[in-house]
Coordinates of all heavy atoms in Angstrom, one line a residue:
L329 N -20.8 35.5 -10.0 CA -21.9 35.3 -10.8 C -21.6 35.0 -12.2 O -22.4 34.5 -13.0 CB -22.9 36.4 -10.7 CG -23.6 36.6 -9.3 CD1 -24.4 37.9 -9.3 CD2 -24.3 35.4 -8.9
G330 N -20.4 35.4 -12.7 CA -20.0 35.2 -14.1 C -19.9 33.7 -14.4 O -19.8 33.3 -15.6
S331 N -19.8 32.8 -13.4 CA -19.6 31.4 -13.7 C -21.0 30.6 -13.6 O -20.9 29.4 -13.7 CB -18.7 30.8 -12.6 OG -17.4 31.4 -12.8
L332 N -22.1 31.3 -13.4 CA -23.4 30.6 -13.3 C -23.6 29.8 -14.6 O -23.4 30.2 -15.7 CB -24.5 31.6 -13.1 CG -24.6 32.1 -11.7 CD1 -25.7 33.2 -11.7 CD2 -24.9 31.1 -10.7
G333 N -24.1 28.5 -14.4 CA -24.4 27.7 -15.5 C -23.2 26.9 -16.1 O -23.4 26.2 -17.0
R334 N -22.0 27.2 -15.6 CA -20.8 26.5 -16.1 C -20.5 25.3 -15.1 O -20.9 25.3 -14.0 CB -19.6 27.5 -16.1 CG -19.9 28.6 -17.1 CD -18.7 29.5 -17.2 NE -17.5 28.7 -17.5 CZ -16.3 29.0 -17.0 NH1 -16.1 30.0 -16.2 NH2 -15.3 28.3 -17.4
R335 N -19.7 24.4 -15.6 CA -19.2 23.3 -14.8 C -18.3 23.9 -13.7 O -17.4 24.7 -14.0 CB -18.4 22.3 -15.6 CG -19.4 21.5 -16.5 CD -18.6 20.4 -17.3 NE -19.4 19.6 -18.0 CZ -19.9 18.4 -17.7 NH1 -19.6 18.0 -16.5 NH2 -20.6 17.7 -18.4
K336 N -18.5 23.5 -12.4 CA -17.8 24.0 -11.3 C -16.3 23.8 -11.4 O -15.5 24.7 -11.2 CB -18.3 23.4 -10.0 CG -19.7 23.8 -9.6 CD -20.1 23.1 -8.3 CE -21.5 23.3 -8.0 NZ -21.9 22.6 -6.8
A337 N -15.9 22.6 -11.8 CA -14.5 22.3 -11.9 C -13.7 23.2 -12.8 O -12.6 23.7 -12.6 CB -14.3 20.8 -12.3
E338 N -14.3 23.4 -14.0 CA -13.7 24.3 -15.0 C -13.7 25.7 -14.5 O -12.7 26.4 -14.7 CB -14.4 24.2 -16.3 CG -13.7 24.9 -17.5 CD -12.3 24.4 -17.7 OE1 -12.0 23.3 -17.5 OE2 -11.5 25.3 -18.1
A339 N -14.7 26.2 -13.9 CA -14.8 27.6 -13.4 C -13.7 27.8 -12.3 O -13.0 28.8 -12.3 CB -16.2 27.9 -12.9
V340 N -13.6 26.8 -11.4 CA -12.6 26.9 -10.4 C -11.2 26.9 -11.0 O -10.3 27.7 -10.6 CB -12.7 25.8 -9.3 CG1 -11.5 25.7 -8.4 CG2 -14.0 26.0 -8.5
R341 N -10.9 26.0 -11.9 CA -9.6 25.9 -12.6 C -9.3 27.3 -13.2 O -8.1 27.8 -13.1 CB -9.6 24.8 -13.7 CG -8.2 24.6 -14.3 CD -8.3 23.9 -15.6 NE -8.9 24.8 -16.6 CZ -8.3 25.8 -17.2 NH1 -7.1 26.2 -16.9 NH2 -8.9 26.5 -18.2
E342 N -10.2 27.9 -14.0 CA -9.9 29.2 -14.6 C -9.6 30.3 -13.6 O -8.7 31.1 -13.8 CB -11.1 29.6 -15.5 CG -11.2 28.8 -16.8 CD -12.3 29.2 -17.6 OE1 -13.0 30.2 -17.4 OE2 -12.6 28.5 -18.6
R343 N -10.4 30.3 -12.5 CA -10.1 31.3 -11.4 C -8.8 31.1 -10.8 O -8.1 32.1 -10.6 CB -11.3 31.2 -10.4 CG -11.1 32.2 -9.3 CD -11.3 33.6 -9.8 NE -11.3 34.5 -8.6 CZ -10.6 35.6 -8.5 NH1 -9.9 36.0 -9.6 NH2 -10.6 36.3 -7.5
L344 N -8.4 29.9 -10.4 CA -7.1 29.7 -9.8 C -6.0 30.0 -10.8 O -4.9 30.5 -10.4 CB -7.0 28.2 -9.3 CG -7.9 27.9 -8.1 CD1 -7.8 26.4 -7.8 CD2 -7.6 28.7 -6.9
A345 N -6.2 29.7 -12.1 CA -5.1 30.0 -13.1 C -4.9 31.5 -13.2 O -3.8 32.0 -13.4 CB -5.5 29.4 -14.4
A346 N -6.0 32.3 -13.0 CA -5.9 33.7 -13.1 C -5.2 34.3 -11.9 O -4.5 35.3 -12.0 CB -7.3 34.3 -13.2
V347 N -5.3 33.6 -10.8 CA -4.7 34.1 -9.5 C -3.2 33.7 -9.5 O -2.3 34.4 -9.1 CB -5.3 33.5 -8.3 CG1 -4.6 33.7 -7.0 CG2 -6.8 34.0 -8.2
S348 N -2.9 32.5 -10.0 CA -1.5 32.0 -10.1 C -1.2 31.3 -11.4 O -1.4 30.1 -11.5 CB -1.2 31.0 -8.9 OG 0.1 30.6 -8.9
P349 N -0.7 32.0 -12.4 CA -0.5 31.4 -13.7 C 0.6 30.4 -13.8 O 0.8 29.7 -14.8 CB -0.2 32.6 -14.6 CG 0.3 33.7 -13.6 CD -0.4 33.4 -12.3
H350 N 1.4 30.2 -12.7 CA 2.5 29.3 -12.7 C 2.1 27.9 -12.2 O 2.9 27.0 -12.2 CB 3.6 29.8 -11.8 CG 4.1 31.2 -12.3 ND1 4.7 31.4 -13.5 CD2 3.9 32.4 -11.8 CE1 5.0 32.7 -13.7 NE2 4.5 33.3 -12.6
V351 N 0.9 27.8 -11.7 CA 0.4 26.5 -11.2 C -0.2 25.7 -12.4 O -0.9 26.2 -13.2 CB -0.7 26.7 -10.1 CG1 -1.3 25.4 -9.6 CG2 -0.1 27.5 -9.0
V352 N 0.1 24.4 -12.4 CA -0.5 23.5 -13.3 C -1.8 23.0 -12.8 O -1.9 22.4 -11.7 CB 0.5 22.3 -13.6 CG1 -0.2 21.3 -14.6 CG2 1.8 22.8 -14.1
L353 N -2.9 23.2 -13.5 CA -4.2 22.9 -13.1 C -5.0 22.0 -14.1 O -4.8 22.2 -15.3 CB -5.0 24.2 -12.9 CG -4.5 25.1 -11.9 CD1 -5.0 26.5 -12.1 CD2 -4.8 24.7 -10.5
T354 N -5.7 21.1 -13.6 CA -6.5 20.2 -14.5 C -7.9 20.1 -13.9 O -8.1 19.9 -12.7 CB -5.9 18.8 -14.6 OG1 -4.6 18.9 -15.1 CG2 -6.8 17.9 -15.5
A355 N -9.0 20.3 -14.7 CA -10.3 20.2 -14.2 C -10.9 18.8 -14.7 O -10.8 18.4 -15.8 CB -11.2 21.3 -14.8
L356 N -11.4 18.1 -13.7 CA -12.0 16.8 -14.0 C -13.5 16.9 -13.8 O -13.9 17.0 -12.6 CB -11.4 15.7 -13.1 CG -12.0 14.3 -13.3 CD1 -11.8 13.7 -14.7 CD2 -11.5 13.4 -12.2
S357 N -14.3 17.0 -14.8 CA -15.7 17.2 -14.7 C -16.5 15.9 -14.9 O -17.8 16.0 -14.8 CB -16.2 18.2 -15.8 OG -15.6 19.5 -15.5
D358 N -15.9 14.8 -15.1 CA -16.6 13.5 -15.3 C -16.7 12.8 -13.9 O -16.3 13.3 -12.9 CB -15.8 12.6 -16.2 CG -15.7 13.3 -17.6 OD1 -16.6 13.9 -18.0 OD2 -14.7 13.1 -18.3
D359 N -17.3 11.7 -13.9 CA -17.5 10.9 -12.7 C -16.2 10.6 -12.1 O -15.2 10.4 -12.8 CB -18.3 9.6 -13.0 CG -19.8 9.9 -13.3 OD1 -20.3 11.0 -12.9 OD2 -20.4 9.1 -14.0
F360 N -16.2 10.4 -10.8 CA -15.0 10.0 -10.1 C -15.2 8.7 -9.4 O -16.3 8.5 -8.8 CB -14.6 11.0 -9.0 CG -13.3 10.7 -8.3 CD1 -12.1 11.2 -8.9 CD2 -13.2 9.9 -7.2 CE1 -10.9 10.9 -8.3 CE2 -12.0 9.6 -6.7 CZ -10.9 10.1 -7.2
P361 N -14.3 7.8 -9.5 CA -13.0 7.9 -10.1 C -13.1 7.7 -11.6 O -14.0 7.0 -12.1 CB -12.2 6.7 -9.4 CG -13.2 5.7 -9.1 CD -14.5 6.5 -8.8
P362 N -12.1 8.2 -12.3 CA -12.1 8.1 -13.8 C -11.9 6.6 -14.2 O -11.2 5.9 -13.5 CB -11.0 9.0 -14.2 CG -10.1 9.1 -13.0 CD -11.0 9.0 -11.8
A363 N -12.5 6.3 -15.3 CA -12.4 4.9 -15.7 C -11.1 4.6 -16.4 O -10.5 3.5 -16.3 CB -13.6 4.6 -16.7
G364 N -10.5 5.6 -17.1 CA -9.3 5.4 -17.9 C -8.1 5.4 -17.1 O -7.9 6.3 -16.2
E365 N -7.1 4.5 -17.4 CA -5.9 4.5 -16.6 C -5.1 5.7 -16.8 O -4.4 6.2 -15.8 CB -5.1 3.2 -17.0 CG -3.9 3.0 -16.1 CD -4.2 2.9 -14.6 OE1 -5.2 2.4 -14.2 OE2 -3.3 3.4 -13.8
E366 N -5.1 6.3 -17.9 CA -4.3 7.6 -18.2 C -4.8 8.7 -17.2 O -4.0 9.4 -16.6 CB -4.5 8.0 -19.6 CG -3.6 9.2 -20.0 CD -3.7 9.6 -21.4 OE1 -3.7 8.6 -22.3 OE2 -3.6 10.7 -21.7
D367 N -6.1 8.8 -17.1 CA -6.7 9.8 -16.2 C -6.4 9.5 -14.7 O -6.1 10.3 -13.9 CB -8.2 9.9 -16.4 CG -8.6 10.6 -17.7 OD1 -7.7 11.3 -18.2 OD2 -9.7 10.4 -18.1
R368 N -6.4 8.2 -14.4 CA -6.1 7.8 -13.0 C -4.6 8.1 -12.7 O -4.3 8.5 -11.6 CB -6.4 6.3 -12.9 CG -7.9 5.9 -13.0 CD -8.2 4.5 -13.0 NE -8.0 3.8 -11.8 CZ -8.9 3.7 -10.8 NH1 -10.0 4.3 -11.0 NH2 -8.6 3.0 -9.7
Q369 N -3.7 7.9 -13.6 CA -2.3 8.2 -13.4 C -2.1 9.7 -13.3 O -1.3 10.1 -12.4 CB -1.5 7.6 -14.6 CG -1.3 6.1 -14.5 CD -0.3 5.7 -13.4 OE1 -0.2 6.3 -12.4 NE2 0.3 4.6 -13.6
A370 N -2.8 10.5 -14.1 CA -2.7 11.9 -14.0 C -3.1 12.4 -12.6 O -2.5 13.2 -12.0 CB -3.5 12.6 -15.0
L371 N -4.2 11.8 -12.0 CA -4.7 12.1 -10.7 C -3.6 11.8 -9.6 O -3.4 12.6 -8.7 CB -6.0 11.4 -10.4 CG -7.2 12.0 -10.9 CD1 -8.4 11.1 -10.6 CD2 -7.4 13.4 -10.2
R372 N -2.9 10.7 -9.8 CA -1.9 10.3 -8.8 C -0.8 11.3 -8.7 O -0.1 11.4 -7.8 CB -1.4 8.9 -9.1 CG -2.4 7.8 -8.8 CD -1.9 6.4 -9.1 NE -2.9 5.4 -8.9 CZ -3.5 4.8 -10.0 NH1 -3.1 5.1 -11.2 NH2 -4.4 3.9 -9.7
G373 N -0.6 12.1 -9.8 CA 0.5 13.1 -9.8 C 0.1 14.4 -9.2 O 0.9 15.3 -9.1
C374 N -1.2 14.6 -8.8 CA -1.7 15.8 -8.2 C -1.2 16.0 -6.8 O -1.3 15.0 -6.0 CB -3.2 15.9 -8.3 SG -3.8 16.0 -10.0
G375 N -0.9 17.2 -6.4 CA -0.5 17.5 -5.0 C -1.7 18.0 -4.2 O -1.7 17.9 -3.0
L376 N -2.7 18.5 -4.9 CA -3.9 19.1 -4.3 C -5.1 18.6 -5.1 O -5.1 18.8 -6.3 CB -3.9 20.6 -4.2 CG -5.1 21.3 -3.7 CD1 -5.5 21.0 -2.3 CD2 -5.0 22.8 -3.9
V377 N -6.1 18.1 -4.4 CA -7.4 17.8 -5.1 C -8.5 18.6 -4.5 O -8.7 18.6 -3.2 CB -7.7 16.2 -4.9 CG1 -9.0 15.9 -5.5 CG2 -6.6 15.4 -5.5
I378 N -9.2 19.3 -5.3 CA -10.4 20.1 -4.8 C -11.7 19.5 -5.3 O -11.9 19.4 -6.5 CB -10.3 21.6 -5.3 CG1 -8.9 22.2 -4.9 CG2 -11.5 22.4 -4.9 CD1 -8.7 23.6 -5.5
D379 N -12.5 19.0 -4.4 CA -13.8 18.4 -4.7 C -14.8 19.5 -4.6 O -15.0 20.2 -3.6 CB -14.1 17.3 -3.6 CG -15.5 17.0 -3.6 OD1 -16.1 16.9 -4.7 OD2 -16.1 16.7 -2.6
C380 N -15.5 19.7 -5.8 CA -16.6 20.8 -5.8 C -18.0 20.2 -5.9 O -18.9 20.9 -6.2 CB -16.4 21.6 -7.1 SG -14.8 22.4 -7.3
T381 N -18.1 18.9 -5.5 CA -19.4 18.3 -5.7 C -20.4 18.4 -4.5 O -21.6 18.5 -4.7 CB -19.3 16.8 -6.0 OG1 -18.8 16.2 -4.8 CG2 -18.4 16.5 -7.2
G382 N -19.8 18.4 -3.3 CA -20.7 18.4 -2.1 C -21.4 17.1 -1.9 O -22.4 17.1 -1.2
E383 N -20.9 16.1 -2.5 CA -21.6 14.8 -2.4 C -20.8 13.8 -1.5 O -19.6 13.7 -1.7 CB -21.7 14.1 -3.8 CG -22.6 14.9 -4.7 CD -22.8 14.2 -6.1 OE1 -22.4 13.0 -6.2 OE2 -23.3 14.8 -7.0
D384 N -21.5 13.2 -0.6 CA -20.8 12.3 0.3 C -20.2 11.1 -0.4 O -19.2 10.6 -0.1 CB -21.8 11.7 1.4 CG -22.2 12.8 2.4 OD1 -21.5 13.8 2.5 OD2 -23.3 12.7 3.0
R385 N -20.9 10.6 -1.5 CA -20.4 9.5 -2.3 C -19.0 9.8 -2.9 O -18.1 9.0 -2.9 CB -21.4 9.1 -3.4 CG -21.0 7.8 -4.1 CD -21.7 7.7 -5.4 NE -20.8 8.5 -6.4 CZ -21.3 9.1 -7.4 NH1 -22.6 9.0 -7.7 NH2 -20.5 9.7 -8.2
T386 N -18.9 11.1 -3.4 CA -17.6 11.5 -3.9 C -16.5 11.5 -2.9 O -15.4 11.1 -3.1 CB -17.7 12.8 -4.6 OG1 -18.7 12.7 -5.7 CG2 -16.4 13.3 -5.3
L387 N -16.8 12.0 -1.7 CA -15.8 12.0 -0.6 C -15.4 10.6 -0.3 O -14.2 10.3 -0.1 CB -16.4 12.7 0.6 CG -16.6 14.2 0.5 CD1 -17.3 14.7 1.8 CD2 -15.3 14.9 0.3
A388 N -16.3 9.6 -0.3 CA -16.0 8.2 0.0 C -15.1 7.7 -1.1 O -14.1 6.9 -0.9 CB -17.2 7.4 0.2
D389 N -15.4 8.0 -2.4 CA -14.6 7.5 -3.5 C -13.2 8.1 -3.5 O -12.2 7.4 -3.8 CB -15.3 7.9 -4.8 CG -16.5 7.1 -5.1 OD1 -16.7 6.0 -4.5 OD2 -17.4 7.6 -5.9
L390 N -13.1 9.4 -3.0 CA -11.8 10.0 -2.9 C -11.0 9.3 -1.8 O -9.7 9.1 -2.0 CB -11.9 11.5 -2.5 CG -12.3 12.4 -3.6 CD1 -12.7 13.8 -3.1 CD2 -11.2 12.6 -4.7
A391 N -11.6 8.9 -0.8 CA -10.9 8.2 0.3 C -10.4 6.8 -0.1 O -9.4 6.3 0.4 CB -11.8 8.1 1.5
R392 N -11.2 6.2 -1.0 CA -10.8 4.8 -1.4 C -9.8 4.8 -2.6 O -9.3 3.7 -2.9 CB -12.1 4.0 -1.8 CG -12.9 3.6 -0.7 CD -14.0 2.6 -1.2 NE -14.9 3.2 -2.1 CZ -16.1 3.8 -1.7 NH1 -16.4 3.9 -0.4 NH2 -16.9 4.4 -2.5
F393 N -9.7 5.9 -3.3 CA -8.8 5.9 -4.5 C -7.4 5.6 -4.1 O -6.9 6.1 -3.1 CB -8.9 7.3 -5.2 CG -8.2 7.4 -6.5 CD1 -8.8 6.8 -7.6 CD2 -7.0 7.9 -6.6 CE1 -8.2 6.9 -8.9 CE2 -6.3 8.0 -7.9 CZ -7.0 7.5 -9.0
P394 N -6.7 4.7 -4.9 CA -5.3 4.4 -4.6 C -4.3 5.5 -5.1 O -3.7 5.4 -6.1 CB -5.1 3.1 -5.4 CG -6.0 3.2 -6.6 CD -7.2 4.0 -6.1
W395 N -4.2 6.5 -4.2 CA -3.4 7.7 -4.6 C -1.9 7.4 -4.7 O -1.2 8.0 -5.4 CB -3.6 8.8 -3.5 CG -5.0 9.3 -3.6 CD1 -6.1 9.0 -2.7 CD2 -5.6 10.2 -4.6 NE1 -7.2 9.6 -3.1 CE2 -6.9 10.4 -4.2 CE3 -5.0 10.8 -5.7 CZ2 -7.8 11.2 -5.0 CZ3 -5.9 11.6 -6.4 CH2 -7.2 11.8 -6.1
G396 N -1.4 6.4 -3.9 CA 0.0 6.1 -4.0 C 0.9 7.0 -3.1 O 2.1 7.0 -3.3
G397 N 0.3 7.8 -2.3 CA 1.1 8.7 -1.4 C 0.2 9.8 -0.9 O -0.9 9.9 -1.3
P398 N 0.8 10.6 0.1 CA 0.0 11.6 0.7 C -0.2 12.8 -0.3 O 0.5 13.0 -1.2 CB 0.8 12.1 1.8 CG 2.2 11.7 1.5 CD 2.1 10.5 0.6
R399 N -1.3 13.5 -0.1 CA -1.6 14.7 -0.8 C -2.7 15.5 0.0 O -3.2 15.1 0.9 CB -2.1 14.5 -2.2 CG -3.5 13.8 -2.4 CD -3.6 13.0 -3.7 NE -2.7 11.9 -3.7 CZ -1.6 11.8 -4.4 NH1 -1.2 12.7 -5.2 NH2 -0.8 10.7 -4.3
W400 N -2.9 16.7 -0.5 CA -3.9 17.6 0.2 C -5.2 17.5 -0.5 O -5.3 17.4 -1.8 CB -3.4 19.1 0.1 CG -2.2 19.4 1.0 CD1 -0.9 19.2 0.6 CD2 -2.3 19.8 2.3 NE1 -0.1 19.6 1.7 CE2 -0.9 19.9 2.7 CE3 -3.3 20.1 3.2 CZ2 -0.6 20.3 4.0 CZ3 -3.0 20.5 4.5 CH2 -1.7 20.6 4.9
F401 N -6.3 17.6 0.3 CA -7.6 17.6 -0.3 C -8.4 18.8 0.3 O -8.2 19.2 1.4 CB -8.4 16.4 0.2 CG -7.8 15.1 -0.4 CD1 -6.9 14.4 0.2 CD2 -8.3 14.6 -1.7 CE1 -6.3 13.3 -0.3 CE2 -7.8 13.5 -2.2 CZ -6.8 12.8 -1.5
A402 N -9.3 19.4 -0.6 CA -10.2 20.4 -0.1 C -11.6 20.1 -0.7 O -11.7 19.7 -1.9 CB -9.8 21.8 -0.6
S403 N -12.6 20.1 0.1 CA -13.9 19.8 -0.4 C -14.7 21.1 -0.2 O -14.9 21.5 0.9 CB -14.5 18.6 0.4 OG -15.8 18.3 -0.1
V404 N -15.2 21.7 -1.3 CA -15.8 22.9 -1.3 C -17.1 22.8 -2.1 O -17.1 22.4 -3.2 CB -15.0 24.0 -1.9 CG1 -15.6 25.4 -1.9 CG2 -13.6 24.1 -1.2
S405 N -18.2 23.2 -1.4 CA -19.5 23.2 -2.1 C -20.2 24.5 -1.8 O -20.5 24.8 -0.7 CB -20.4 22.0 -1.7 OG -21.6 22.1 -2.3
V406 N -20.5 25.3 -2.9 CA -21.1 26.6 -2.7 C -22.3 26.6 -3.7 O -22.2 26.3 -4.8 CB -20.2 27.7 -3.0 CG1 -20.9 29.1 -2.9 CG2 -19.0 27.7 -2.1
G407 N -23.5 26.9 -3.1 CA -24.7 26.9 -4.0 C -25.2 28.4 -4.1 O -24.9 29.2 -3.3
L408 N -26.0 28.6 -5.1 CA -26.6 29.9 -5.3 C -27.8 30.0 -4.4 O -28.6 29.2 -4.3 CB -27.0 30.1 -6.7 CG -27.7 31.4 -7.1 CD1 -26.7 32.5 -6.9 CD2 -28.1 31.4 -8.6
G409 N -27.8 31.1 -3.6 CA -28.9 31.3 -2.7 C -28.5 30.9 -1.3 O -29.0 31.0 -0.3

């Protein structure tokens, strides 16, 4: 409940960092896919992508993104109530 009202991606990033401080984590709270090439390149370097939106459109965008190789995905949507 301490994360209510916060952006999900940032709250998940902070929680995972607390569990494993040796993992490199980045929260992307903007629309997907990112418009900037620097952000797109950073995404291509990720080994795990966690989708917190619960939106079918985002899942489709993740499937179409040119990742450049295999990686792990998790799609998690939790609502209050």
